[in-house]
Amino acid sequence: MLVWREELSVGHPEIDGDHKVLIGIINDFENTVDRWDGDKVVHEVLIKLHDYAMQHFTAEEAIQVANHYPLREEHKREHRVLLAQVVDRANRFFIKKTEPVTKEALQGVAEFLKRWLVDHIIKSDLRMRRYVAKGGA
Ligand SMILES: [Fe+2]
């Protein structure tokens, strides 16, 4: 389970708030996999994560543009790659069904998502802190 902590703060309340929600959805995904409620629920949580992530990335990218963040183009690329990876996994498991849905495989997806989010926040999002932080952070 992921837990948001102060070191993950980029100093912008909207972005930090979104990251907390994303962490919540990823935890939800992991719990759903662990409880194994059936394929449909896992797929639904994955769609929810994709949709929220897309909305959040759009908002974060707009904040970067408004604050003239110099690395915004490469940052946007990272966001796009993640969304494509989520779509790819959803397709493989639930739409095209080219990969068998097993608990282990879905736990692998949960691990991937947890690692991606934390890495992305630490390695990429925190670099924009001095451009977007509010209140002298
Ligand atoms: Fe980001």
XYZ file of all heavy atoms in Angstrom, residues 6-40:
279
model
N 5.110 13.794 3.152
C 5.480 15.187 2.909
C 6.598 15.345 1.862
O 6.592 16.304 1.092
C 5.872 15.830 4.248
C 5.764 17.344 4.296
C 4.420 17.913 3.830
O 3.359 17.411 4.280
O 4.419 18.864 3.016
N 7.539 14.397 1.823
C 8.634 14.512 0.830
C 8.110 14.431 -0.600
O 8.844 14.748 -1.534
C 9.687 13.404 0.969
C 10.263 13.211 2.325
C 9.637 11.984 2.981
O 10.092 10.854 2.739
O 8.671 12.192 3.768
N 6.885 13.982 -0.775
C 6.327 13.887 -2.125
C 5.644 15.185 -2.541
O 5.151 15.303 -3.660
C 5.321 12.731 -2.215
C 5.869 11.315 -1.969
C 4.734 10.292 -2.038
C 6.950 10.943 -2.966
N 5.614 16.164 -1.653
C 4.899 17.399 -1.957
C 5.642 18.253 -2.973
O 6.833 18.523 -2.824
C 4.712 18.217 -0.671
O 4.159 19.478 -1.003
N 4.918 18.682 -4.026
C 5.512 19.612 -4.984
C 5.172 21.057 -4.593
O 5.499 21.995 -5.305
C 5.059 19.345 -6.442
C 5.438 17.938 -6.879
C 3.573 19.561 -6.627
N 4.485 21.215 -3.467
C 4.194 22.550 -2.964
C 3.031 23.238 -3.656
O 2.816 24.432 -3.487
N 2.292 22.481 -4.452
C 1.129 23.054 -5.135
C -0.091 22.238 -4.699
O -0.159 21.032 -4.963
C 1.329 22.957 -6.649
C 0.282 23.680 -7.442
N -1.011 23.212 -7.544
C 0.329 24.838 -8.147
C -1.707 24.058 -8.294
N -0.921 25.046 -8.671
N -1.046 22.879 -4.012
C -2.136 22.112 -3.401
C -2.954 21.265 -4.375
O -3.343 20.144 -4.039
C -3.022 23.176 -2.734
C -2.402 24.495 -2.996
C -1.110 24.307 -3.724
N -3.195 21.774 -5.571
C -4.011 21.005 -6.518
C -3.261 19.742 -6.974
O -3.825 18.644 -7.017
C -4.360 21.881 -7.727
C -5.325 21.201 -8.689
C -5.513 21.979 -9.991
O -5.282 23.201 -10.006
O -5.885 21.330 -10.988
N -1.972 19.924 -7.289
C -1.183 18.772 -7.745
C -1.028 17.761 -6.609
O -1.233 16.563 -6.793
C 0.208 19.221 -8.271
C 0.030 20.113 -9.508
C 1.077 18.003 -8.613
C 1.328 20.718 -10.038
N -0.698 18.244 -5.416
C -0.552 17.320 -4.278
C -1.871 16.590 -4.004
O -1.873 15.391 -3.729
C -0.118 18.082 -3.018
C 1.360 18.488 -3.068
O 2.115 17.931 -3.888
O 1.746 19.374 -2.281
N -2.972 17.317 -4.099
C -4.290 16.707 -3.861
C -4.567 15.610 -4.871
O -5.019 14.511 -4.520
N -4.246 15.877 -6.151
C -4.436 14.869 -7.202
C -3.561 13.644 -6.943
O -3.992 12.513 -7.146
C -4.030 15.434 -8.573
C -5.153 16.235 -9.225
O -6.253 16.296 -8.654
O -4.909 16.780 -10.311
N -2.322 13.885 -6.520
C -1.426 12.751 -6.263
C -1.978 11.880 -5.140
O -1.868 10.654 -5.188
C -0.012 13.243 -5.904
C 0.731 13.801 -7.085
N 1.849 14.582 -6.973
C 0.496 13.673 -8.423
C 2.277 14.914 -8.193
N 1.465 14.380 -9.076
N -2.577 12.511 -4.140
C -3.175 11.731 -3.047
C -4.330 10.872 -3.578
O -4.472 9.709 -3.179
C -3.671 12.651 -1.927
C -2.520 13.289 -1.154
C -3.029 14.309 -0.140
C -1.863 15.117 0.403
N -2.277 16.287 1.190
N -5.136 11.447 -4.467
C -6.251 10.680 -5.041
C -5.709 9.509 -5.867
O -6.195 8.375 -5.757
C -7.172 11.576 -5.906
C -8.235 10.744 -6.616
C -7.825 12.666 -5.066
N -4.669 9.773 -6.675
C -4.083 8.706 -7.496
C -3.538 7.574 -6.634
O -3.726 6.399 -6.933
C -2.956 9.257 -8.377
C -3.420 10.005 -9.636
C -2.241 10.707 -10.296
C -4.086 9.057 -10.623
N -2.882 7.940 -5.546
C -2.380 6.929 -4.614
C -3.552 6.108 -4.069
O -3.486 4.881 -3.995
C -1.567 7.598 -3.479
C -0.181 8.001 -4.025
C -1.422 6.671 -2.262
C 0.675 8.805 -3.063
N -4.641 6.786 -3.750
C -5.840 6.098 -3.256
C -6.390 5.112 -4.281
O -6.769 3.985 -3.935
N -6.410 5.516 -5.559
C -6.959 4.627 -6.592
C -6.031 3.428 -6.810
O -6.491 2.301 -6.995
C -7.203 5.380 -7.925
C -8.182 6.545 -7.726
C -7.768 4.430 -8.985
C -8.352 7.451 -8.940
N -4.725 3.681 -6.771
C -3.783 2.569 -6.945
C -3.913 1.585 -5.769
O -3.920 0.367 -5.960
C -2.324 3.073 -7.103
C -2.183 3.795 -8.455
C -1.317 1.903 -7.027
C -0.824 4.443 -8.689
N -4.071 2.104 -4.562
C -4.287 1.226 -3.406
C -5.573 0.415 -3.568
O -5.633 -0.774 -3.251
C -4.347 2.036 -2.111
C -2.965 2.535 -1.684
O -1.955 1.944 -2.029
N -2.933 3.628 -0.932
N -6.580 1.094 -4.087
C -7.859 0.459 -4.343
C -7.680 -0.685 -5.357
O -8.218 -1.780 -5.192
C -8.760 1.544 -4.959
C -10.211 1.261 -4.768
O -10.527 0.452 -3.897
O -11.028 1.852 -5.509
N -6.898 -0.400 -6.406
C -6.615 -1.416 -7.422
C -5.930 -2.625 -6.773
O -6.330 -3.773 -6.976
C -5.736 -0.824 -8.530
C -5.370 -1.812 -9.611
C -6.283 -2.159 -10.599
C -4.116 -2.415 -9.634
C -5.963 -3.085 -11.583
C -3.781 -3.343 -10.616
C -4.710 -3.672 -11.590
N -4.914 -2.339 -5.980
C -4.177 -3.428 -5.337
C -5.087 -4.255 -4.411
O -5.053 -5.486 -4.427
C -2.996 -2.856 -4.540
C -2.023 -3.924 -4.094
C -0.806 -3.349 -3.382
O -0.950 -2.336 -2.658
O 0.282 -3.918 -3.561
N -5.910 -3.553 -3.637
C -6.828 -4.269 -2.736
C -7.829 -5.111 -3.515
O -8.170 -6.218 -3.108
C -7.599 -3.276 -1.852
C -6.698 -2.627 -0.829
O -5.701 -3.222 -0.413
N -7.024 -1.410 -0.416
N -8.308 -4.555 -4.625
C -9.278 -5.284 -5.446
C -8.646 -6.554 -6.003
O -9.268 -7.622 -6.022
C -9.773 -4.384 -6.610
O -10.249 -3.165 -6.049
C -10.896 -5.036 -7.375
N -7.396 -6.441 -6.462
C -6.675 -7.614 -6.968
C -6.513 -8.636 -5.838
O -6.784 -9.825 -6.017
C -5.290 -7.209 -7.537
C -4.436 -8.445 -7.805
C -5.444 -6.391 -8.823
N -6.106 -8.162 -4.683
C -5.878 -9.076 -3.566
C -7.157 -9.781 -3.124
O -7.143 -10.937 -2.740
C -5.249 -8.333 -2.376
C -3.777 -7.999 -2.671
O -3.204 -8.606 -3.589
O -3.226 -7.112 -1.993
N -8.266 -9.044 -3.189
C -9.547 -9.659 -2.784
C -10.137 -10.514 -3.891
O -11.041 -11.308 -3.658
C -10.562 -8.582 -2.394
C -10.331 -7.943 -1.054
C -11.611 -7.229 -0.607
N -12.170 -6.437 -1.691
C -11.900 -5.143 -1.895
N -11.119 -4.489 -1.077
N -12.443 -4.497 -2.907
N -9.647 -10.271 -5.149
C -10.101 -11.017 -6.318
C -11.618 -11.067 -6.429
O -12.255 -12.099 -6.300
C -9.502 -12.428 -6.306
C -9.655 -13.110 -7.622
C -10.376 -14.216 -7.895
C -9.099 -12.687 -8.869
N -10.295 -14.527 -9.226
C -9.528 -13.603 -9.849
C -8.290 -11.602 -9.253
C -9.167 -13.487 -11.186
C -7.933 -11.497 -10.579
C -8.363 -12.433 -11.528
N -12.184 -9.888 -6.657
C -13.631 -9.781 -6.823
C -14.080 -10.224 -8.213
O -15.253 -10.199 -8.530
C -14.103 -8.337 -6.632
C -14.061 -7.921 -5.188
O -12.958 -7.899 -4.635
O -15.117 -7.621 -4.619
N -13.118 -10.559 -9.049
C -13.476 -10.918 -10.427
C -12.923 -9.899 -11.392
O -12.643 -8.774 -11.027
N -12.786 -10.328 -12.637
C -12.155 -9.511 -13.662
C -12.776 -8.136 -13.818
O -12.092 -7.149 -13.991
C -12.276 -10.182 -15.033
C -11.629 -11.544 -15.031
O -11.098 -11.945 -13.979
O -11.666 -12.195 -16.067
N -14.088 -8.091 -13.795
C -14.785 -6.876 -14.137
C -14.404 -5.731 -13.190
O -14.150 -4.627 -13.622
C -16.292 -7.131 -14.088
C -17.087 -6.116 -14.868
C -18.514 -6.570 -15.078
C -19.303 -5.512 -15.811
N -19.645 -4.368 -14.984
